[in-house]
Amino acid sequence: MKRPIIGITSEVLNNGNLHALKEYVDAVSDLGGVPMLLAKTTEDEAIKEQVNRIDGLYLTGGTDIDPATYDEEPHPMLGRVESGRDAYELKVLEYALNRAIPILAICRGSQLLNIIHGGSMYQDINSEIEGDLIQHKMQSDRDFLQHSIEVKSGTKLHDIVGETKFRINSVHHQANDEIGEGLIISATAPDGVIEAIESQNDTFMFGLQFHPEALYYKHEPSKKIIAAFIQAAAEHYAAMGEEIDEQKQKEVKE
């Protein structure tokens, strides 16, 4: 089976340089995919063509989401926002959803995935969620296993990892709140913060608040998640190829 092309979103730093963590590239390459960086553009046809050329979408983490994206004003604890990134990535998501390609959305990506389905989010969990929270924005290395999560039985995430509890890394201060239409919660932290969402249907579509790309080489649940994503992308490509062949055969007969 062909190695699937995985589109990896990137960010623009304050100095204007295009940036994507090497972890994403390595994880995709090591687990059987072909990484392709997606650069932000405002040209709709260019965005559509970017998505047409990939077999799976890896929506990466990074800066905070602009609250105007979900019709809110900025919270005092809002961090750096990259101008235009949310609009671009929502358009990428729109085309990816239209093509029904597998989607793995990480951290801010999980929040955008929820927003495009009509969900809401916290701009700052520490000041907006009542009660005592554990530390979610860890001060350790990105591959440190910061805290545990509870995975709901019967979810696709549970099917993939085969565990109902494991530890993850955590580098966020924003998180999903109300979950959008067609999505369900598949994992939570001990304090109730949502750590994973997924599609209600058979589509491979996950939003993770943690970063498996920083853990996959030593952490079995993270490896299984990314491997399953790449496998789903390969299967989608194969299925699309079969549909094209069938259409060609039909045209020849006509």
Side-chain angles (χ1 to χ4, degrees):
M1 189 176 290
K2 171 210 170 194
R3 289 171 65 104
I5 298 174
I6 306 299
I8 302 172
T9 54
S10 57
E11 63 180 314
V12 178
L13 302 179
N14 285 330
N15 60 12
N17 289 338
L18 193 68
H19 173 74
L21 288 173
K22 190 171 178 291
E23 295 167 345
Y24 293 105
V25 175
D26 290 345
V28 168
S29 296
D30 290 350
L31 297 177
V34 178
M36 185 175 83
L37 295 187
L38 302 179
K40 181 177 69 179
T41 175
T42 58
E43 293 294 330
D44 188 73
E45 285 302 311
I47 300 172
K48 187 174 183 179
E49 193 60 36
Q50 283 180 332
V51 178
N52 284 341
R53 294 181 184 221
I54 62 177
D55 306 309
L57 173 63
Y58 207 148
L59 203 62
T60 63
T63 55
D64 282 3
I65 295 176
D66 182 356
T69 303
Y70 45 95
D71 199 28
E72 286 189 10
E73 297 298 330
H75 187 278
M77 298 304 294
L78 180 70
R80 176 179 175 262
V81 169
E82 179 188 330
S83 178
R85 181 176 180 184
D86 300 325
Y88 165 71
E89 291 188 352
L90 285 172
K91 184 61 71 171
V92 169
L93 265 175
E94 177 187 333
Y95 287 131
L97 290 169
N98 288 341
R99 287 193 60 214
I101 62 174
I103 297 171
L104 185 58
I106 303 299
C107 204
R108 64 166 271 123
S110 176
Q111 294 145 27
L112 280 178
L113 182 65
N114 189 38
I115 288 169
I116 204 171
H117 284 86
S120 62
M121 60 173 286
Y122 296 108
Q123 292 190 47
D124 181 66
I125 57 175
N126 292 302
S127 56
E128 292 185 287
I129 297 179
E130 294 183 1
D132 295 330
L133 297 183
I134 63 173
Q135 185 188 61
H136 285 272
K137 194 166 186 178
M138 66 187 195
Q139 304 303 309
S140 308
D141 293 338
R142 282 173 58 85
D143 63 351
F144 179 69
L145 296 174
Q146 172 80 348
H147 65 77
S148 64
I149 61 172
E150 298 282 348
V151 180
K152 294 189 177 183
S153 298
T155 60
K156 291 190 287 294
L157 181 61
H158 179 243
D159 291 342
I160 290 171
V161 301
E163 301 179 37
T164 56
K165 185 175 183 178
F166 58 90
R167 299 189 73 83
I168 51 106
N169 53 5
S170 187
V171 292
H172 66 99
H173 79 106
Q174 299 192 316
N176 286 319
D177 182 11
E178 295 295 327
I179 300 304
E181 184 177 355
L183 301 173
I184 61 171
I185 298 170
S186 47
T188 56
D191 55 14
V193 170
I194 296 169
E195 293 289 344
I197 57 176
E198 63 182 58
S199 171
Q200 284 183 326
N201 59 35
D202 293 334
T203 304
F204 189 103
M205 182 166 62
F206 289 89
L208 306 180
Q209 201 60 67
F210 55 99
H211 290 263
E213 71 282 351
L215 296 170
Y216 76 95
Y217 64 93
K218 69 171 188 177
H219 186 246
E220 197 63 22
S222 293
K223 181 179 180 180
K224 287 179 177 178
I225 291 168
I226 299 176
F229 167 51
I230 293 171
Q231 178 64 26
E235 291 173 356
H236 182 274
Y237 170 80
M240 293 302 295
E242 290 176 3
E243 286 185 16
I244 292 171
D245 289 341
E246 289 176 2
Q247 182 62 33
K248 287 180 178 178
Q249 291 175 11
K250 182 178 179 181
E251 291 173 355
V252 169
K253 289 179 181 179
E254 292 175 349

